């Protein structure tokens, strides 16, 4: 049987996947590289990134440096970040920004012609570089142009549905072509996942429709663990009620958060008294949720106001044009004249596929899995720990996208092509799709997806506890059963069957949702984005550890592994875990 072969296959054409593709071509131009993406690469969620990418360039704050950036990141992570990975992230930041410039990215400029930088939550200094509030767009377009120029073969609108992992080695994958419905087995010396986040597990999210956690699910189904999945980032300012993102750049430029009493309420909380609106996201989101819970939402409703009127028309139009457009387009509100209604929205996945600092995926025993790499939002290095700082994700995608490309190129350069029999994988995928297409159940995909999204949001939202999580997990078993036994697709064709894709994606959402909730149940403390009402304090003696959630048959099991605290050796006073205040 014929197979498609490449030395390296990258899954994902967002910032991490495309930066990796460019790095592979630069490291070893002789390698054949295939990049598979279920959407056109330029439609990956990265294109929607708005506010900025962090680097201590010192263009605005001359005393900034990588160690301060590292400290902000570690403190922001509620001390759960791996400090060796944070060191690489922040030390390489300036260099990768220059790299991006050389690849053609146009950043906004300061008066003196240097790259402009703005303030962001949890960062001591103004260090977010940006292209107005369309930063992801500016970077992704240039990266994709570059990878095409360098000869990467792109399989756009192909859906990866199976990772081939046998004899302790990843050997390839199975994907189907959305246009024709054809299933193909791909063989490779190494596979790199850059499959992005899972925002669609919840009912209100800033994420794209394609952010369904497929890469995480495929990894879990292969029997490998996912790390720190209980840490789901809620972005404080989702437009109410749709959940579309209003960038943190808006607060970076000086916006106020206002409750029904007309107060800038961030000042009423001890934890955020000094930094006010520029406190990290976990704290800001919790405070907003608290205001709403206690009846101080606007007119008693489920939202507060984000007010930029004092910035003036000129600054609003030049610095945050997209935020203004979104308000007008979605709600008919022009923020020059009226405040925007906002509430927290699911935004980012701190957890993911565990990797070492060379982006090699690791198992429960912390040993690398041969032939398997991951980078970007789907990976958990972990540089964000329990809470990511704004502008650090694009940075992670670029720093570790590049590093993963270099490491995977080195790995694949002196490896033989693996051997396996593709027939079983081909048959298995065909029968999976056939079953979905012919099953005569009663449940429509949209209905089941909505039920799952409502369930995770209700039982595993900003605040959770044992009762809510246990009940949620029980109900989720019922949804899994309906997915397996009672699904009904209206479209039974093979060509561009979006329902079939949606059905496969729903499978990912269910698996990822279950691992998130089980991991949340196992962490009996509150840290970063994970707030247990029944365990309100951080517990370093038991949980200064990464959680691992993995499938064992049909159930999810959990384990823990230690955090790397290596920067403590450099600057012990600062980097030793302490109470967080802003
Ligand atoms: C609205 C918004 C604004 C943001 N703003 C900022 C910001 O200003 N600064 C910042 O640092 N971060 C920001 N973030 C976060 C940041 O943009 C993302 O974390 C980052 O872009 C993720 O990039 P990625 O390459 O890992 O994944 P993505 O860009 O999400 O790409 C995932 C890729 O995987 C592919 N894929 C997934 N599953 C499959 C499958 N089964 N088969 C084939 N292909 C598959 C997709 O097609 C896609 O190409 C923002 C996020 C959002 C949602």
């Amino acid at each position: 049987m014929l197979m498609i072969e490449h030395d390296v296959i990258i899954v994902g054409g967002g910032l991490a996947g495309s930066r990796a593709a460019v790095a592979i071509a630069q490291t070893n131009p002789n390698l054949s590289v295939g990049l598979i993406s279920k959407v056109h690469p330029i439609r990956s969620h990265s294109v929607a990134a708005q506010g900025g990418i962090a680097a201590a360039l010192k263009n605005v704050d001359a005393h900034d440096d990588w160690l301060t950036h590292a400290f902000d990141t570690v403190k922001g992570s509620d001390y759960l970040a791996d400090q060796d990975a944070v060191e690489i992230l922040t030390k390489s930041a300036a260099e990768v920004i220059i790299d991006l410039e050389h690849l053609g990215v146009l950043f906004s400029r300061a008066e003196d012609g240097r790259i402009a930088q703005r303030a962001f939550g949890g960062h001591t200094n103004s260090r977010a570089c940006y292209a107005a509030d369309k930063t992801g767009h500016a970077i992704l377009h240039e990266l994709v142009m570059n990878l095409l120029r360098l000869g990467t073969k792109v399989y756009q609108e192909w859906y990866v549905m199976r990772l081939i992992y046998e004899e302790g080695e990843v050997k390839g994958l199975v994907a189907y072509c959305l246009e024709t419905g054809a299933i193909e087995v791909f063989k490779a010396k190494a596979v790199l996942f850059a499959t992005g986040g899972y925002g669609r597990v919840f009912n209100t999210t800033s994420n794209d429709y394609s952010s369904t956690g497929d890469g995480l699910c495929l990894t879990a189904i292969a029997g490998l663990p996912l790390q720190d999945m209980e840490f789901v980032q809620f972005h404080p300012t989702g437009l109410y009620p749709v959940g579309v993102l209003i960038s943190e750049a808006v607060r970076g430029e000086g916006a106020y958060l206002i409750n029904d009493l007309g107060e800038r309420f961030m000042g009423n909380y001890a934890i955020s008294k000094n930094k006010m609106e520029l406190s990290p996201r976990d704290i800001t989101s919790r405070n907003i949720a608290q205001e709403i819970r206690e009846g101080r939402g606007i007119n008693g409703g489920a939202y507060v106001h984000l007010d930029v009127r004092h910035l003036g028309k000129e600054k609003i139009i030049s610095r945050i044009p997209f935020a203004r457009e979104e308000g007008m387009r979605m709600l008919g509100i022009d923020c020059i004249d009226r405040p925007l209604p906002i509430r927290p929205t699911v935004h980012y996945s701190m957890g993911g596929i565990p990797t070492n600092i060379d982006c090699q995926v690791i198992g429960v025993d912390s040993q690398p899995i041969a032939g398997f790499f991951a980078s970007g939002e789907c990976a958990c290095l972990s540089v964000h720990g329990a809470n990511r700082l704004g502008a650090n994700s694009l940075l992670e995608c670029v720093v570790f996208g590049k590093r993963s490309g270099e490491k995977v190129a080195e790995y694949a350069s002196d490896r033989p092509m693996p051997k396996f029999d593709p027939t079983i994988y081909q048959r298995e995928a065909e029968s999976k799709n056939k079953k979905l297409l012919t099953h005569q159940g009663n449940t429509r995909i949209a209905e089941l997806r909505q039920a799952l999204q409502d369930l995770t949001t209700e039982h595993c939202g900003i605040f959770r506890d044992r009762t809510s999580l246990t009940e949620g997990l029980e109900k989720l078993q019922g949804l899994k059963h309906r997915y397996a036994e009672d699904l009904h697709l209206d479209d039974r064709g093979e060509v561009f069957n979006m329902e079939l894709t949606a059905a496969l994606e729903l499978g990912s959402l269910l698996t990822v949702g279950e691992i998130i909730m089980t991991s949340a149940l196992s962490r009996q403390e509150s840290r970063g984005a994970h707030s247990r009402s029944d365990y309100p304090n951080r517990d370093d003696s038991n949980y200064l550890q990464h959680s691992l959630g993995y499938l064992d048959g049909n159930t999810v099991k959990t384990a823990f592994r230690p955090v790397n605290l290596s920067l403590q050796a450099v600057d012990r006073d600062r980097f030793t875990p302490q109470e967080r205040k802003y």
Side-chain angles (χ1 to χ4, degrees):
M1 211 190 103
L2 279 178
M3 277 187 276
I4 301 178
E5 273 188 32
H6 288 285
D7 293 314
V8 181
I9 293 174
I10 302 172
V11 186
L15 232 60
S18 30
R19 187 65 192 82
V22 171
I24 297 172
Q26 288 168 338
T27 309
N28 181 351
N30 297 323
L31 291 174
S32 122
V33 183
L35 185 150
I36 308 181
S37 174
K38 64 179 176 175
V39 298
H40 187 284
I42 285 177
R43 296 203 56 213
S44 304
H45 185 59
S46 293
V47 83
Q50 303 178 5
I53 172 165
L57 290 186
K58 313 179 195 217
N59 292 355
V60 173
D61 290 312
H63 51 274
D64 202 9
D65 60 4
W66 75 265
L67 200 59
T68 312
H69 186 183
F71 171 67
D72 291 344
T73 303
V74 168
K75 181 179 172 192
S77 81
D78 221 345
Y79 297 91
L80 195 71
D82 281 316
Q83 298 183 3
D84 53 346
V86 171
E87 180 172 351
I88 295 174
L89 179 83
T90 51
K91 258 189 186 162
S92 335
E95 178 194 315
V96 297
I97 300 287
I98 309 291
D99 251 19
L100 287 176
E101 269 232 307
H102 291 173
L103 289 170
V105 178
L106 292 172
F107 287 105
S108 293
R109 298 281 156 176
E111 299 259 295
D112 63 5
R114 291 186 298 169
I115 292 176
Q117 298 191 279
R118 60 165 55 118
F120 247 72
H123 290 277
T124 307
N125 298 307
S126 292
R127 61 168 80 98
C129 313
Y130 56 93
D133 52 2
K134 302 177 182 180
T135 312
H137 187 277
I139 303 177
L140 188 61
H141 274 73
E142 288 308 328
L143 287 178
V144 172
M145 294 296 283
N146 275 280
L147 73 87
L148 291 174
R149 182 174 60 78
L150 291 165
T152 305
K153 162 87 179 147
V154 177
Y155 298 83
Q156 66 201 30
E157 299 185 321
W158 281 69
Y159 185 98
V160 175
M161 51 189 292
R162 170 75 140 102
L163 183 69
I164 297 176
Y165 173 53
E166 46 170 58
E167 298 164 321
E169 186 185 352
V170 166
K171 300 179 173 178
L173 46 80
V174 184
Y176 91 95
C177 173
L178 300 186
E179 193 185 339
T180 62
I183 290 171
E184 295 281 355
V185 178
F186 289 70
K187 179 153 98 161
K189 297 174 183 171
V191 171
L192 168 62
F193 269 14
T195 50
Y198 57 58
R200 293 279 152 189
V201 168
F202 294 82
N203 67 14
T204 307
T205 178
S206 65
N207 286 192
D208 188 62
Y209 287 100
S210 63
S211 301
T212 51
D214 302 339
L216 304 177
C217 173
L218 296 179
T219 305
I221 286 178
L224 298 170
L226 300 181
Q227 181 169 292
D228 291 341
M229 292 296 282
E230 61 276 32
F231 299 105
V232 178
Q233 179 161 79
F234 285 77
H235 191 291
T237 58
L239 209 53
Y240 177 82
V242 282
V244 160
L245 186 75
I246 297 298
S247 171
E248 187 166 321
V250 176
R251 278 171 292 132
E253 296 294 348
Y256 298 153
L257 285 168
I258 307 285
N259 65 14
D260 197 42
L261 307 174
E263 296 169 328
R264 281 179 71 191
F265 57 83
M266 292 295 287
N268 300 342
Y269 294 85
I271 195 168
S272 56
K273 228 175 33 229
N274 297 324
K275 283 274 182 185
M276 299 290 286
E277 283 85 359
L278 285 179
S279 300
R281 292 178 175 170
D282 54 341
I283 294 169
T284 311
S285 290
R286 244 184 327 268
N287 292 356
I288 296 172
Q290 189 87 0
E291 291 295 303
I292 293 171
R293 273 213 315 198
E294 293 173 3
R296 292 185 297 279
I298 305 299
N299 299 323
Y303 64 95
V304 296
H305 273 152
L306 183 70
D307 198 347
V308 292
R309 288 174 295 177
H310 58 285
L311 300 181
K313 187 172 174 179
E314 199 183 315
K315 193 165 178 186
I316 293 172
I317 289 174
S318 68
R319 302 280 181 82
I320 47 171
F322 189 62
R324 178 172 177 243
E325 281 163 32
E326 289 286 68
M328 295 201 292
R329 192 167 61 86
M330 307 297 298
L331 302 175
I333 295 178
D334 184 347
C335 63
I336 292 176
D337 308 316
R338 285 164 61 197
L340 294 168
I342 59 93
R343 72 164 168 197
T345 186
V346 167
H347 184 59
Y348 184 81
S349 153
M350 265 78 71
I353 305 166
T355 72
N356 61 21
I357 53 171
D358 290 338
C359 308
Q360 290 174 294
V361 175
I362 54 178
V364 178
D365 57 1
S366 299
Q367 293 306 307
I369 307 296
F372 196 21
F373 294 73
S375 61
E377 187 168 340
C378 73
C380 185
L381 268 156
S382 142
V383 287
H384 311 298
N387 172 61
R388 166 176 81 90
L389 295 187
N392 264 358
S393 169
L394 293 186
L395 180 64
E396 180 191 3
C397 287
V398 180
V399 169
F400 287 96
K402 180 171 181 238
R403 191 174 169 94
S404 64
E406 290 162 357
K407 298 293 172 190
V408 86
E410 283 164 22
Y411 178 90
S413 293
D414 53 29
R415 288 285 290 197
M417 201 46 101
K419 293 196 171 59
F420 63 92
D421 175 6
T423 332
I424 33 168
Y425 296 106
Q426 176 89 23
R427 285 205 193 118
E428 179 206 76
E430 278 166 3
S431 75
K432 181 173 184 178
N433 283 6
K434 189 159 171 222
K435 182 177 171 209
L436 285 167
L437 287 172
T438 54
H439 207 262
Q440 300 289 355
N442 292 307
T443 304
R444 295 292 193 280
I445 294 165
E447 176 196 339
L448 197 56
R449 187 173 53 215
Q450 190 67 49
L452 170 72
Q453 292 169 334
D454 290 345
L455 182 152
T456 47
T457 310
E458 184 190 337
H459 291 275
C460 192
I462 293 187
F463 299 102
R464 353 29 226 257
D465 61 28
R466 172 177 294 284
T467 314
S468 72
L469 290 165
T470 314
E471 277 177 18
L473 279 163
E474 267 170 35
K475 289 187 198 162
L476 196 133
Q477 298 312 316
L479 301 186
K480 272 169 65 181
H481 184 74
R482 281 169 73 192
Y483 180 75
E485 303 300 334
D486 195 40
L487 217 52
H488 180 98
L489 272 62
D490 291 314
D491 184 349
R492 289 170 184 243
E494 296 208 316
V495 172
F496 253 118
N497 186 339
M498 299 311 285
E499 250 195 317
L500 178 60
T501 318
L504 293 169
E505 288 176 338
L506 179 54
S508 304
L509 297 177
L510 283 161
T511 303
V512 172
E514 185 173 9
I515 298 178
I516 292 173
M517 289 171 74
T518 312
S519 306
L521 188 60
S522 75
R523 185 178 288 277
Q524 300 183 355
E525 64 157 355
S526 289
R527 181 187 298 270
H530 175 67
S531 271
R532 286 279 299 252
S533 316
D534 45 352
Y535 297 96
N537 300 318
R538 197 174 83 193
D539 175 1
D540 284 339
S541 51
N542 290 307
Y543 292 105
L544 190 58
Q545 297 201 64
H546 298 294
S547 70
L548 298 170
Y550 56 94
L551 293 176
D552 185 4
N554 208 16
T555 54
V556 179
K557 298 232 166 104
T558 54
F560 285 87
R561 67 183 193 92
V563 172
N564 177 299
L565 297 170
S566 55
L567 277 173
Q568 281 189 299
V570 182
D571 196 343
R572 194 170 177 86
D573 287 349
R574 276 209 283 181
F575 284 92
T576 304
Q578 32 197 286
E579 197 196 344
R580 261 168 99 220
K581 274 212 176 112
Y582 288 88

